[in-house]
């Protein structure tokens, strides 16, 4: 029997938003708001930064257009220690998938990430992410 997806997560991991200028975004969040630059990674030709203040982590990246309006958050992500079990449970729940299979980015953190995305009822993107 399928469980709620929180049975496969440990916590809220991050919120994601594209940046119109990644360097300007990093400077604003670190120098003006006081966030820590937790990581800066390459993803193909583009860069992705993780900015942290306390329990809040913002993932921001270049390469996608920034909406430049209220509601510009791209996705919410949850820590998932077992991505395969979470993916199987999401299928069993009949969730609406953005990704048809588990994705990966090897250049993030020390050993990469594995993740998948679903859509919520308001067409919001919800990511389940395992840091490898």
């Amino acid at each position: 029997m399928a469980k709620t997806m929180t049975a496969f997560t440990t916590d809220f991991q991050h919120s994601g938003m594209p940046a119109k200028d990644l360097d300007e975004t990093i400077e604003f969040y670190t120098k003006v708001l006081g966030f820590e630059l937790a990581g800066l990674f390459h993803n193909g030709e583009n860069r992705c930064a993780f900015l942290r203040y306390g329990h809040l982590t913002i993932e921001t990246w270049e390469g996608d257009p920034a909406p430049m309006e209220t509601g510009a958050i791209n996705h919410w992500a949850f820590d998932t220690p077992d991505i395969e079990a979470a993916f199987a449970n999401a299928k069993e729940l009949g969730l609406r998938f953005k990704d048809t299979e588990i994705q990966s980015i090897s250049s993030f953190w020390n050993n990469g990430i594995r993740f998948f995305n679903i859509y919520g009822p308001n067409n919001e993107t919800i990511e389940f992410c395992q840091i490898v």
Side-chain angles (χ1 to χ4, degrees):
M1 179 172 173
K3 300 176 183 178
T4 64
M5 290 304 292
T6 55
F8 300 89
T9 63
T10 56
D11 208 342
F12 181 77
Q13 188 182 91
H14 68 264
S15 181
M17 67 175 187
K20 75 174 170 61
D21 180 320
L22 187 61
D23 294 318
E24 176 185 50
T25 300
I26 292 169
E27 184 168 332
F28 175 80
Y29 277 89
T30 59
K31 305 260 193 278
V32 175
L33 295 183
F35 279 60
E36 161 199 1
L37 178 60
L40 181 61
F41 306 102
H42 286 278
N43 185 14
E45 298 285 318
N46 298 309
R47 297 172 302 150
C48 178
F50 287 85
L51 304 159
R52 186 171 295 141
Y53 174 71
H55 188 67
L56 173 63
T57 301
I58 298 171
E59 173 192 22
T60 185
W61 64 91
E62 57 194 5
D64 289 330
M68 303 303 292
E69 61 184 67
T70 301
I73 299 298
N74 176 274
H75 67 275
W76 292 301
F78 293 92
D79 272 321
T80 307
D82 185 343
I83 197 71
E84 286 87 5
F87 190 72
N89 190 74
K91 282 184 173 179
E92 191 175 341
L93 285 171
L95 299 178
R96 194 165 49 109
F97 285 86
K98 182 174 183 176
D99 303 311
T100 58
E101 59 187 39
I102 295 170
Q103 308 293 306
S104 65
I105 301 174
S106 61
S107 59
F108 283 19
W109 305 111
N110 290 332
N111 298 307
I113 62 169
R114 299 182 69 218
F115 66 96
F116 67 90
N117 294 292
I118 64 165
Y119 292 110
N122 303 295
N123 217 33
E124 68 274 24
T125 299
I126 303 167
E127 176 183 330
F128 295 88
C129 183
Q130 181 178 12
I131 297 174
V132 181

